[in-house]
């Protein structure tokens, strides 16, 4: 009887409206009779699964479909019918929250039902073992896809609502969990930008450090940090800009980045920081064409303090020995002035 009804349903077009047609309802009723009469047999499970699939196709009976799918999972988790029922349950709940979550986003409260279902399925040891041995990992893959979809949707929702700090924290966690380097770097880049929008520069520095630690040779990281450093400079956020330029210089060996760091520290009156950055530059780039300019800037800073004029004299003598004509000329004049004062 149920087999004949199932064959009839296969040949019939899907019913219209929110409720199953008469034949489909008769099949569902027949399934209930089978379950009560025969118990948990392969034939009963097949009928129960088919009933759940039929009911899932209509808005008015989709809740009943979930009940039947869950019953299969609970009573026969090691069976192929339970595996298919689990995938059906996930699909139903996924459809209920809509498509394209990346574009429209989803609030965490709206995602909770699907997230709870995914968590319960993943924690069902018998079901997941059966998926591995009998289901070719299809359920595991579906759960992973849906979990990722939810994470992306929740982040998108937070960004749409300008909760950039919360979005950045999620990006940071997403990057840590991502095994694909491309995905991880994209999450890190988005997280860096979100922290900057939130003006949380402590978080931005943390995620930048994590990026450089995990992907020290990343061209994407260098491009992002250089762009952020330039933007911070334009916006007048000099401490953050200095921090970024120092990281770019340290990782890439870009002497221009370090020269910018020296100039910025000098510009904000950080004499000690500028001196330390200058010393580092001269040690790392002893043959740089810019070394004479750095020597000159060091000498000027030392000359400003009468206690270090003698050190300034040594620097001026050094930059007088080389460099472009205008630098050489200034170093010579200033050296002569100091000598005049020291007599």
């Amino acid at each position: 009887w149920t087999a004949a009804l199932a064959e009839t349903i296969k040949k019939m077009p899907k019913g219209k409206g929110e409720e199953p047609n008469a034949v489909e309802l008769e099949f569902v009723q027949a399934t209930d009779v089978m379950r009560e009469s025969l118990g948990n047999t392969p034939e009963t499970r097949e009928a129960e699964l088919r009933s759940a699939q039929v009911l899932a196709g209509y808005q008015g009976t989709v809740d009943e479909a979930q009940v039947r799918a869950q019953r299969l999972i609970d009573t026969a988790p090691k069976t192929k019918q339970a595996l298919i029922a689990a995938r059906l349950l996930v699909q139903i709940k996924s459809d209920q929250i809509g498509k394209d979550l990346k574009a429209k986003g989803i609030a965490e409260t709206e995602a909770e039902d699907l997230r709870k279902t995914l968590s319960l399925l993943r924690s069902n040891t018998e079901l997941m073992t059966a998926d591995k041995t009998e289901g070719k990992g299809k359920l595991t893959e579906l759960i992973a896809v849906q979990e990722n979809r939810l994470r992306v949707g929740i982040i998108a929702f937070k960004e749409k609502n300008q909760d950039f700090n919360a979005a950045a924290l999620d990006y940071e966690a997403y990057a840590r969990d991502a095994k694909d380097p491309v995905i991880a770097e994209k999450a890190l880049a988005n997280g860096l930008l979100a922290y900057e929008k939130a003006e949380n520069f402590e978080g931005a520095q943390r995620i930048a450090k994590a990026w450089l630690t995990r992907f020290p040779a990343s061209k994407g990281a260098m491009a992002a940090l250089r762009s952020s450093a330039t933007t911070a400079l334009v916006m007048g956020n000099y401490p953050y800009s200095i921090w970024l330029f120092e990281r770019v210089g340290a990782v890439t060996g870009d002497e221009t980045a370090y020269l910018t760091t020296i100039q910025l520290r000098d510009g904000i009156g950080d004499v000690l920081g500028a001196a330390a950055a200058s010393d580092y530059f001269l040690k790392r780039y002893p043959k740089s064409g810019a070394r004479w300019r750095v020597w000159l800037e060091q000498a000027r800073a030392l000359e400003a303090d009468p206690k270090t004029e003698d050190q300034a004299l040594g620097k001026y003598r050094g930059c007088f020995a080389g460099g472009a004509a205008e630098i050489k000329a200034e170093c010579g004049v200033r050296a002569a002035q100091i000598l005049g004062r020291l007599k």
Side-chain angles (χ1 to χ4, degrees), residues 49-281:
L49 176 61
R50 181 58 182 154
S51 292
Q53 291 169 329
V54 167
L55 295 170
Y58 300 93
Q59 189 62 38
T61 55
V62 68
D63 289 344
E64 177 62 21
Q66 294 181 67
V67 170
R68 290 172 182 269
Q70 188 63 57
R71 183 160 54 216
L72 276 169
I73 296 166
D74 293 340
T75 59
K78 298 180 180 180
T79 65
K80 66 177 183 179
Q81 293 88 5
L83 291 173
I84 298 172
R87 299 205 299 271
L88 175 64
L89 186 62
V90 171
Q91 193 59 56
I92 290 171
K93 293 188 179 294
S94 176
D95 290 345
Q96 288 176 338
I97 61 175
K99 299 179 180 179
D100 200 12
L101 297 188
K102 185 176 181 181
K104 71 174 187 177
I106 182 171
E108 291 193 68
T109 51
E110 295 175 356
E112 186 58 32
D113 190 31
L114 175 55
R115 182 152 51 186
K116 183 179 179 181
T117 296
L118 297 174
S119 178
L120 288 173
L121 292 176
R122 191 182 284 281
S123 65
N124 189 324
T125 305
E126 290 181 314
L127 182 71
M128 299 312 293
T129 300
D131 180 57
K132 186 176 181 180
T133 57
E134 304 294 333
K136 300 181 180 179
K138 291 181 180 179
L139 178 58
T140 301
E141 182 180 353
L142 179 61
I143 290 173
V145 168
Q146 292 297 328
E147 286 176 335
N148 182 71
R149 179 170 174 260
L150 282 182
R151 292 183 81 170
V152 170
I154 290 169
I155 292 173
F157 181 84
K158 290 176 179 178
E159 289 189 303
K160 276 182 171 291
N161 287 274
Q162 298 189 350
D163 190 356
F164 296 116
N165 199 63
L169 285 168
D170 285 351
Y171 274 127
E172 206 169 355
Y174 192 14
R176 283 196 299 268
D177 295 340
K179 293 180 173 57
D180 186 329
V182 175
I183 293 175
E185 285 210 70
K186 187 173 181 180
L188 288 165
N190 290 338
L192 178 65
L193 183 60
Y195 273 130
E196 290 171 349
K197 287 180 179 179
E199 297 185 358
N200 180 350
F201 299 106
E202 181 180 344
Q205 290 177 358
R206 182 179 63 250
I207 203 169
K209 286 179 182 177
W211 196 348
L212 294 175
T213 299
R214 186 171 175 183
F215 303 103
S218 169
K219 293 181 179 179
M222 287 303 99
L225 265 61
R226 193 186 299 277
S227 175
S228 292
T230 303
T231 300
L233 175 58
V234 172
M235 298 300 292
N237 188 346
Y238 301 122
Y240 182 54
S241 181
I242 288 169
W243 188 88
L244 288 169
F245 275 123
E246 283 181 341
R247 296 305 177 282
V248 171
V251 174
T252 66
D254 180 0
E255 62 180 73
T256 303
Y258 252 101
L259 285 172
T260 304
T261 297
I262 296 169
Q263 292 166 355
L264 287 173
R265 287 193 179 281
D266 187 55
I268 63 175
D270 182 6
V271 177
L272 293 177
S278 296
D279 288 340
Y280 179 87
F281 179 88

Side-chain angles (χ1 to χ4, degrees), residues 309 313 317 332-343:
E309 270 196 330
L313 178 59
R317 283 173 170 167
V333 170
R334 287 180 175 272
Q337 290 173 341
I338 292 176
L339 284 171
R341 290 195 297 271
L342 291 176
K343 286 183 179 179

Side-chain angles (χ1 to χ4, degrees), residues 271-272 275-276 278-279 282 294-320 331 334-336 338-339 341-342:
V271 177
L272 293 177
S278 296
D279 288 340
L282 293 171
V294 174
W295 275 48
L296 174 57
E297 296 297 337
Q298 281 187 322
R300 285 173 177 168
L302 291 166
E303 187 183 3
D305 185 348
K307 296 179 181 179
T308 55
E309 270 196 330
D310 56 336
Q311 297 177 48
L313 178 59
K315 294 288 184 181
Y316 283 132
R317 283 173 170 167
C319 66
F320 180 73
C331 290
R334 287 180 175 272
I338 292 176
L339 284 171
R341 290 195 297 271
L342 291 176

